[in-house]
Structure formats: C-alpha cells, structure tokens
Amino acid sequence: MVNGVSTLVGAKPKDLRERFGGAIGGPVVKDRFFFFFSYDQQRRNFPGLGVFSNPNFLNTANRTLLLARGLTNAQIDSTLGFLNSLTGETPRRGDQTLFLPKIDWIINSKNSLAVSYNRLRWESPNGIQTQAVNTRSRSNFGDDFVEVDSLNARLSTTISSNILNEFRFQYGRDLEYQFSTPPLPGEPTTAATAIGGTRSPNVFITNGLEFGTPTFLERPKFPDETRWQFANTLSVIKGNHNLKFGFDINRVTDDIQNLRFEAGSYSYNNINDFIIDYTNYRTPLPGATLCATGTRTVGKCYTSNFQQGIGNPGLKMTSWDYNFFIQDDIRVTPRLSVNLGLRYEFIKLPGATLPSPSNVVIPNDGRTLAEATSQIPSDKNNFGPRVGVAYDVFGNGRTSFRAGYGIYFGRIQNSTAYNALVNTGNAGGQAQVQVAATAANAPIFPMVLTPAQLTFAGGAVQFFDRNFEAPKIHQYDVILEHQLSRNTVVSVSYIGSLGRQLPTFFDLNFVQTGQTNYTFVGGPLDAQTFSLPRYGRVPGAGTQALTSIRSSVKSQYDALVFKGERRLTKGLQFQASYTLSKSTDTNQNSATFTQTNSPYDIFDGRYDAGPSNFDTRHRFVASAVWAPTFYKGSKSSIGNYLLNGWTFSPIFNYFSGRPFSAAISGTSLNGTNGGNWNPVLGRNSERLPSLSNWDARLSKRFKFNETMSLEFLAEAFNVLNKTHIFSTNSTQYNRSGTTGTLNYNTSYGLVTGTDSTLFRERQVQFAARFQF
C-alpha cells in the first residue's frame, strides 16, 4: 500500500506433501494365526493466504467523508495499514500418523476371529481452514487436532452347512479439539477478566475479511465421543431363499466443551464505519462523532447485533441407536432374483436436563419456553422397506435389468440435540446474547460484555418443533446393462431420490410490521423495483432469537447416467461415464449445529425453493489404465527390464458449474436475519464456470522374483495447471443504510477462490514402493 492506495501483489504459497509408511504381515502359527501391521505418516507444509473478498477493498475507503467526521489522514492510513497487515501468507501444517495392527485367528473349523486397532493422530497448526485462499486474517485460521482410537472385532461362526452367524463389536473414541491463534499486532484485545484471556473479538467486514477469535472457538472438546457398538447378522440359506436377520446397537457418549461467540463478535457493513470505530479504539474521538452510515455515534458503528456467548461451556450426553433388519434374497427363477427387506431404526436422545424456567409463550408455536425446551424428539415409526429386482433379459447372461427402491432414515445429529439441550435460557446452560448497536447497553468497540452485564434473558433459545422427525430419504434406480464383448459392458440408468423431513431452523420471534419498497441502482437490474414485508420482534416475547428446529425441508434428485467399462484386457482398461442430473430443494443446509434462522421468510416458503447447492447438471468422467507389453522376449533380458512394466493411468473430469446465490449485503432485507440472496433472481440463480481437469500417473515396476518387486511412481494432479474457480464475490448489490436503495457492487463476480479439497493448482508427487 502506497499513499493510502493498495495494489495487488502476486503470491504462490508452496504445498509440499511427504507421505511414507509400510506394511508387513504373515503367519504366526501356520494356517491358524496371522498378523498384519501397517504404518502411515503424512507431513504437509501448505501455507495459507489471507485475502480480502474484494481485491479493491482498501481503496473503497471514503477519505472525504472520514475527514469530515474529524479523522486525520494519518489515522485513516494507519487503519488501512493495519487491515493490510492482516492479509498475506501464514504458516500452516497438516501432520498425521496412522497405526493399524490386525490379527486373524482360525479358532477351529467353525469359528474365526479378526481383531484390529486403528490409531490416528492429526496436528494442524493454522489448519482449520484448509483452502489455499481464505477471506480471513492470518490469525483467524485456528489450530486443529484430532485423536481417534478404534478397536474392532468380528467373530464368524458356522452353525451348520446352511446357517452362518457374524458378531461384530466396536469400541471407539474420537477426540477433536480446536483453538484460536494469538492476535496479530494492532488487533484490538479485550480485558482478561471478561472472557478468561486476552484475545481479540471476532470482526467481520463486508467485502473485506474476518479477523480476531473465530466465532466457533474455543473448542476444547467437540466431540470427545466414546462409542460402544454391538451388531449381529444371522444368515440362513433355505431352498431358493437367503434369509438374513440382524441388529445394530450403538451407545454414544459425547463430552462437549464449546461456547460459541465466547470472545464476542462484531460485524460491519462497510470499511468506513470500521475505520471510525478502530480509530476511536486507538485514539478516542469526540463522543458525538457520527458513524459513516446511519445516525449512530462512534464506538457503535457496527451494523449487525453484537453477539457474545455466556454460561457453561458444555455438557456430557449419551444417545442410543437401535437398528433391526430382516432381508430375503429370493432366486425366483434362474433368470429372476428378488430382494426384499425391512429395517427399523430408533434414536433415543438424552432427555432435557436444563429446560427454560420461562412461561413466555413462543410466537407462532403456542407452547411456552418451558414446555418447548422440555420436549426432545422420540421418533418411533421409522420403518424402511427395501425391494430390488434383477432379471436376465434374454437368458444368455449378457443383458440384465435391475431396479430397486428403499426408504432410508438419517440420524438426528447429536450436535443439534446438544444445542437444544444447553441453549434453553436456563442459567445452568449457555446462550448467545445479541445486543443491537442502538441499544443503551451495547458495548463500545472492541469491548465485550462482562459477566455482570450478561444475562440469559437476552440469549437465543433453540428447541425442537413438536412434530420433529428424523430425516427420510426415498431412493430408487433402474439400470439396463449389456455386455458388448467378454470384458466390455455398457449401461444406461436412471437414479432418483426424494428427501423429506430434512432439518432446518426457524426463528419464530417475528411479526410483520410493515412493507419496504426497494429499487436497484446500476447493474443488470437497474431501475427495477420490488416490495418485501418488513418484520420485527414480537412484543412481549423479548428481543432474542427463538429458534425452532424443524423437519420441513424437501429435496429431489434425478439423474440419467450413461456408462461404458472395459476390464483389463491385453494391457488396456478404461471407464467412462456421463451424468445428466437435476437437484432441487427448499433451502437444504448441511449444518450440524443449529442456525439462528435459515429461511428467507418464515411465513412465505416460496423464496427458499431453487437448485441445490451441489446441483451439477453435466458431469463426464473418463479414466484408463494402459500397461503395454512392448518386449515379448525373455523376462530376464535387458529389453524386458527397460521396455515392460510401465503403466500409464490418466483421469479426466468435467463438471458444469455449481450454483450460487447473488447476494445483497447488510442485514436481511425483511429484517429476519435469514437468507440474503436477491429475491428477484431467486436462490442459487447464478452459476460458477465449468471445471475440466486432467490427472495422470506413470509408474515403472521392476520384478525381481515371484515375491519381490520395486515400483517407482510419478503422479501429476491438474496436469495442465488450469485455474479452477470455486468461489466468486457473490455480493451483487449493497444496501444503502436502512433505505430501499440497492447499489450495484462493481466487484460482483470477481474470483475469490481457486482451490478445493480435490482440485487445486498443479501438483506433482513421486513415490517408491517395495513389495515382498
């Protein structure tokens, strides 16, 4: 940044991965007792980049307005310099070790036992955010740690020639914890007595970045999960029937320690309001100094409610999963097979331990807070029938027809239940308190509320809807497959699913207070107008969110798939598939925690319908393995060593662009803090560019004898080093204060993310594998 004007600087962090390990196994007692042990370790050095959502973010500072508010050029430049210092490269690692010992014991002619232990350790400083580029400051990534231990046992017993029993047992522990990193120089910190340590509150600036302590930290345990699982399957073959009966019982105990918004959270709609508040933090301004927008005064220029967590950091809870099934595979004729099944599932959640003491009636629900927070779902009607058919069309084994249908149930997530158990308004639980910037008790930036100032009366409450049920999915498919030659098949299939009773979150504490007319200024919708109802808090119900956990979202997926496959023949194997699909829903989300409010309008569901977030209309994937034999002479000759043993394996992927919503910045237009997409265009109306990607592997194997070989491998991901776009600036229009004017954002559509877990910049790795 020079003279208060920022310029873009290119950056290309390295991504170095080192992975090594080995496996060994063999008999301890011949034909009776065997062992296996594997070790795998990964070291990854992948620095992250903190960037602004809008590359020209710093240049949007309105110096004329700020000078008129009494700031000096030096103060403005100092704040811009501080914001600029938050960006750039930050060290980040991802180191993992994995041990897997296993034994197999043939006890006698009727019984065999297999036992394995899996131990995983993961340490990732600054690794909570894994993308190469993040719109977070260098101190906002967070440290991530995982410890997993799992003991599995399987006892197989042959009761008779037609009866087989398999019993399985698992003990597992999954401990995951995350912590914030120390503040960077210049970050405003709060008093140690307020939140148990000197940390920076979370600060989010629209079109800028997020810095401070992330809102989801600290997280000492989430989860610390212990699982005991017992499962049994009895198989009986009788005539043309293959019957299976079984059960699967899980006991899961979660010890959870996580108080969201513990360090406080501020949100700014624009850079100018932040500059005023930050300057006041560094050098106090006159108390009557006006903010850049609205009529608020310095120290309270943040635009959304201040939020802060209060109360007990967590609790310990136990849930039970009871699952029972019966299945019959029937060979009706030599050409026709039918599969029939029925599965029953029941999830027993822990009972309410901290119900609300309040008898306030929940708006749009009818129950009191005390009643609603005492009711935990007990969904006992989850019967899932399954049916499948396989038919040899012509009786020659070359053309088959298969079809299937089943009902499947998802879990009621323990993390969702946890929030409903602790965020009840009970002083023994926890809450996220929201205070409007215009309120008399609103904190002056960057201070947080002291324990004496925090009360549960203003904290958000989450509770289950009285009719809440576990998620239900209907799945069905029809497949026609034909064998062209001995090792080559083609198929066409239709695949579909209907999601019902999917979870969502409604803040019911709203009532319509009027209507607002909006006008677009600039951009593709210039001069167009529309109206929306305006909502406010229900009188007498408090100002906090009262979130009902509902099971009302619907989804639908339909796909037509064409596929061709050739098994390895004469050194060549290939597979190619094309999928034409459509996925829609009524605002499905993947949240495991509760959200405050998910729908655009809690009284009008039409705004929520649209393409799913993962809707990919076209997908083409092709892969091949080519292992030619160039030299056909003696295996011990130099020609065989040099020319044979090569394998080339390319993979090509093409995906059409996924959807995203054109957003309008600031608080939601109707005042519900729900969806912020442009209601004229609709949810997920826009598309990212399509993606095409080549990966390839080249290997050379040297075979020394029948039991020993050495293989060298070279793998390249994104061979052509194409730029894959996974996110863009989605803010299409900016709301001007609280008026009905929506100004076009000239940075709309600018690229903000070019990496994902699977597709990144070109990466090359080399490996050697010795087998014996």
Side-chain angles (χ1 to χ4, degrees):
M1 188 172 67
V2 180
N3 296 325
V5 178
S6 64
T7 57
L8 296 179
V9 177
K12 188 178 181 180
K14 62 182 178 181
D15 187 344
L16 176 62
R17 307 187 196 198
E18 300 172 276
R19 185 172 181 177
F20 45 91
I24 187 171
V28 178
V29 178
K30 185 178 181 180
D31 298 330
R32 294 293 299 275
F33 196 91
F34 305 86
F35 82 97
F36 175 83
F37 178 81
S38 69
Y39 161 74
D40 184 275
Q41 183 165 354
Q42 171 190 286
R43 294 175 179 172
R44 186 181 181 191
N45 180 14
F46 63 127
L49 275 180
V51 302
F52 298 124
S53 296
N54 177 357
N56 296 313
F57 171 68
L58 296 181
N59 298 335
T60 61
N62 189 331
R63 193 172 292 265
T64 301
L65 182 150
L66 295 172
L67 291 173
R69 294 291 193 269
L71 279 70
T72 66
N73 278 309
Q75 290 172 324
I76 297 171
D77 291 338
S78 175
T79 304
L80 294 177
F82 160 69
L83 288 171
N84 191 54
S85 72
L86 301 177
T87 64
E89 186 174 311
T90 188
R92 180 173 59 182
R93 293 196 59 85
D95 299 330
Q96 176 179 289
T97 57
L98 180 65
F99 297 92
L100 178 64
K102 183 177 184 291
I103 61 170
D104 291 277
W105 179 26
I106 301 176
I107 303 172
N108 52 44
S109 61
K110 291 183 177 294
N111 296 279
S112 63
L113 175 68
V115 180
S116 64
Y117 167 63
N118 191 321
R119 181 184 187 275
L120 179 148
R121 295 296 183 267
W122 166 263
E123 297 181 357
S124 187
N126 279 323
I128 296 178
Q129 308 300 327
T130 59
Q131 304 93 328
V133 178
N134 295 273
T135 54
R136 293 174 177 267
S137 75
R138 294 183 289 115
S139 64
N140 195 252
F141 284 36
D143 299 336
D144 185 42
F145 305 91
V146 179
E147 298 179 10
V148 175
D149 296 276
S150 177
L151 177 67
N152 293 271
R154 183 182 69 228
L155 176 64
S156 298
T157 302
T158 302
I159 298 175
S160 68
S161 60
N162 65 330
I163 302 177
L164 176 68
N165 190 77
E166 181 180 88
F167 174 77
R168 288 177 288 120
F169 164 78
Q170 178 187 188
Y171 167 79
R173 186 188 181 209
D174 178 13
L175 171 60
E176 302 179 22
Y177 49 103
Q178 299 176 333
F179 296 105
S180 62
T181 52
L184 293 171
E187 284 194 34
T189 54
T190 53
T193 56
I195 56 174
T198 302
R199 284 176 288 170
S200 172
N202 184 266
V203 180
F204 173 80
I205 311 174
T206 299
N207 291 325
L209 47 57
E210 188 172 347
F211 72 87
T213 304
T215 58
F216 53 86
L217 299 180
E218 307 298 335
R219 183 176 164 177
K221 299 178 182 179
F222 204 153
D224 184 355
E225 176 185 286
T226 302
R227 176 184 301 272
W228 295 84
Q229 181 181 15
F230 304 89
N232 195 84
T233 300
L234 179 68
S235 301
V236 180
I237 299 175
K238 188 171 184 180
N240 60 346
H241 295 264
N242 185 354
L243 291 164
K244 292 183 179 180
F245 313 85
F247 66 83
D248 184 352
I249 298 176
N250 278 269
R251 180 184 185 272
V252 177
T253 300
D254 276 320
D255 185 357
I256 297 174
Q257 300 288 320
N258 178 222
L259 178 59
R260 296 175 66 85
F261 296 95
E262 179 184 7
S265 176
Y266 290 90
S267 181
Y268 288 85
N269 191 30
N270 60 84
I271 189 174
N272 299 303
D273 279 327
F274 174 77
I275 291 175
I276 292 175
D277 272 1
Y278 184 79
T279 299
N280 182 66
Y281 154 69
R282 299 296 298 269
T283 306
L285 296 170
T289 302
L290 289 175
C291 299
T293 58
T295 58
R296 300 181 310 283
T297 53
V298 65
K300 299 184 178 183
C301 294
Y302 45 97
T303 46
S304 294
N305 295 339
F306 169 80
Q307 297 187 70
Q308 186 175 335
I310 175 180
N312 193 328
L315 56 75
K316 196 171 185 177
M317 55 183 281
T318 298
S319 64
W320 289 83
D321 286 39
Y322 299 96
N323 308 290
F324 304 91
F325 73 91
I326 180 172
Q327 179 178 319
D328 189 5
D329 300 333
I330 311 169
R331 191 170 182 83
V332 181
T333 71
R335 293 169 58 183
L336 176 64
S337 297
V338 176
N339 312 96
L340 300 174
L342 179 66
R343 183 179 177 90
Y344 174 74
E345 302 180 5
F346 172 60
I347 305 166
K348 186 178 185 301
L349 296 173
T353 55
L354 299 167
S356 170
S358 172
N359 288 318
V360 170
V361 176
I362 302 171
N364 308 300
D365 182 274
R367 294 175 294 173
T368 65
L369 281 170
E371 292 171 333
T373 55
S374 298
Q375 297 176 7
I376 303 299
S378 182
D379 188 3
K380 298 180 179 179
N381 62 346
N382 296 334
F383 291 92
R386 321 279 168 84
V387 59
V389 175
Y391 181 61
D392 183 351
V393 178
F394 300 110
N396 57 10
R398 297 187 62 183
T399 304
S400 65
F401 171 82
R402 299 189 300 274
Y405 168 79
I407 295 178
Y408 303 83
F409 294 92
R411 287 202 83 260
I412 302 173
Q413 296 289 337
N414 277 20
S415 53
T416 302
Y418 162 77
N419 273 10
L421 290 173
V422 299
N423 296 321
T424 62
N426 188 304
Q430 62 179 227
Q432 284 72 49
V433 176
Q434 300 186 39
V435 182
T438 54
N441 63 333
I444 299 295
F445 176 85
M447 300 306 297
V448 297
L449 301 176
T450 64
Q453 295 172 307
L454 289 165
T455 64
F456 280 83
V461 177
Q462 288 100 41
F463 50 90
F464 283 100
D465 181 78
R466 68 179 78 229
N467 298 315
F468 187 89
E469 296 187 85
K472 179 191 291 186
I473 304 293
H474 300 259
Q475 291 188 352
Y476 39 90
D477 59 45
V478 178
I479 304 171
L480 181 64
E481 184 176 83
H482 177 67
Q483 182 180 10
L484 293 177
S485 62
R486 187 168 64 91
N487 289 316
T488 304
V489 296
V490 293
S491 66
V492 58
S493 58
Y494 165 73
I495 302 172
S497 71
L498 297 174
R500 297 294 184 264
Q501 303 169 191
L502 305 181
T504 187
F505 312 98
F506 277 55
D507 182 358
L508 300 182
N509 192 13
F510 283 108
V511 64
Q512 185 171 348
T513 59
Q515 180 173 293
T516 305
N517 299 319
Y518 291 96
T519 302
F520 293 106
V521 177
L525 303 176
D526 185 39
Q528 293 190 37
T529 62
F530 67 97
S531 299
L532 283 179
R534 183 173 63 254
Y535 297 104
R537 292 304 188 190
V538 177
T543 60
Q544 75 273 33
L546 303 177
T547 299
S548 172
I549 306 169
R550 295 188 169 185
S551 50
S552 59
V553 168
K554 299 179 179 179
S555 68
Q556 181 169 346
Y557 174 78
D558 298 279
L560 187 64
V561 182
F562 300 91
K563 184 177 180 180
E565 180 178 5
R566 170 191 168 105
R567 290 187 288 272
L568 188 62
T569 306
K570 296 181 179 180
L572 179 63
Q573 171 185 314
F574 68 80
Q575 178 176 301
S577 66
Y578 167 71
T579 304
L580 173 65
S581 65
K582 181 180 180 180
S583 181
T584 59
D585 59 52
T586 56
N587 196 14
Q588 179 183 356
N589 61 64
S590 301
T592 55
F593 302 98
T594 55
Q595 296 178 341
T596 302
N597 193 41
S598 296
Y600 197 93
D601 187 324
I602 65 170
F603 301 107
D604 190 347
R606 59 180 172 157
Y607 295 104
D608 294 324
S612 300
N613 293 338
F614 50 82
D615 179 40
T616 304
R617 295 298 170 89
H618 303 279
R619 175 174 179 172
F620 177 74
V621 180
S623 62
V625 176
W626 185 38
T629 301
F630 292 113
Y631 182 78
K632 302 184 184 298
S634 171
K635 292 184 178 181
S636 60
S637 67
I638 189 65
N640 177 63
Y641 275 100
L642 294 178
L643 299 177
N644 295 337
W646 293 92
T647 301
F648 178 61
S649 307
I651 301 176
F652 175 74
N653 286 275
Y654 170 83
F655 307 102
S656 57
R658 290 192 175 183
F660 69 93
S661 299
I664 296 176
S665 71
T667 55
S668 57
L669 298 183
N670 58 15
T672 63
N673 296 314
N676 69 334
W677 56 86
N678 188 330
V680 173
L681 299 178
R683 186 176 65 87
N684 281 342
S685 61
E686 309 298 291
R687 292 272 171 176
L688 294 170
S690 60
L691 177 151
S692 61
N693 183 82
W694 280 97
D695 297 334
R697 169 192 282 186
L698 180 65
S699 68
K700 178 68 171 76
R701 183 186 296 271
F702 296 93
K703 192 169 184 178
F704 304 120
N705 53 44
E706 293 299 323
T707 61
M708 291 191 296
S709 66
L710 177 64
E711 184 179 17
F712 294 98
L713 303 99
E715 296 176 314
F717 305 95
N718 190 6
V719 174
L720 301 180
N721 201 27
K722 295 192 65 174
T723 299
H724 303 315
I725 298 175
F726 292 97
S727 63
T728 62
N729 188 324
S730 61
T731 303
Q732 187 181 35
Y733 284 88
N734 292 311
R735 187 178 183 183
S736 179
T738 58
T739 69
T741 301
L742 304 175
N743 298 306
Y744 182 68
N745 177 23
T746 57
S747 298
Y748 172 68
L750 292 179
V751 176
T752 57
T754 58
D755 71 295
S756 74
T757 303
L758 298 177
F759 301 101
R760 298 172 54 90
E761 70 282 358
R762 181 197 292 135
Q763 297 183 4
V764 179
Q765 67 180 25
F766 301 93
R769 180 187 299 153
F770 180 62
Q771 293 179 312
F772 62 96

